[in-house]
Amino acid sequence: MDQAQLAAPAGKRRRAGIVADGSFKALLGAACAIGAAPLGELLGVPVWLVLVSGAALLVCAAVEISYVRRRSNSTYLRLMIGYDSGWLLATLAALLLVWSGATTGGEVWIGYQAIASAVFAAALLAARPAH
């Protein structure tokens, strides 16, 4: 087997991972949109923020999935690592706020989803096309 034959399955697996990541964002966005009121109450955030976050996640998911063959896997990998690292930090910050008695933990977490999803989608749209 030559190197091109070995690279093809790896590329397909990466694209499948990208589609799975986008699908997860779509599910989370749909959950935010459908359950905005109860989720907002549970997290202590305004319903409008949950709706904005859900919309941003849905747009990000659509861009991520639709550009899977038009952008390089390395671009996706860098963006996903950045997004997921930020999500981890936002989640830890939100938990620390909640554990300290602050009421802003939910806003940090939901707010991160809204902002980071919009940035992710914009960065992906602005990225150079794959060769």
Side-chain angles (χ1 to χ4, degrees):
M1 239 190 241
D2 66 8
Q3 200 164 8
Q5 289 172 322
L6 290 173
K12 285 183 180 183
R13 284 193 304 273
R14 286 186 194 108
R15 282 193 297 276
I18 292 165
V19 170
D21 187 75
S23 298
F24 179 77
K25 285 181 180 82
L27 287 173
L28 184 57
C32 287
I34 293 167
L39 188 57
E41 186 177 325
L42 177 69
L43 296 173
V45 299
V47 172
W48 68 265
L49 183 56
V50 179
L51 289 170
V52 167
S53 181
L57 282 159
L58 288 169
V59 168
C60 183
V63 170
E64 188 172 357
I65 293 168
S66 67
Y67 276 71
V68 72
R69 292 190 181 273
R70 296 186 223 164
R71 299 297 186 256
S72 72
N73 287 338
S74 63
T75 298
Y76 272 100
L77 185 60
R78 285 192 307 271
L79 290 173
M80 289 187 324
I81 288 171
Y83 180 93
D84 291 344
S85 297
W87 192 356
L88 175 64
L89 293 174
T91 300
L92 291 174
L95 286 172
L96 288 173
L97 286 167
V98 169
W99 289 333
S100 71
T103 59
T104 55
E107 290 171 345
V108 167
W109 194 77
I110 289 291
Y112 175 80
Q113 299 308 316
I115 293 167
S117 296
V119 169
F120 185 104
L124 193 55
L125 288 169
R128 290 184 311 147
H131 309 330

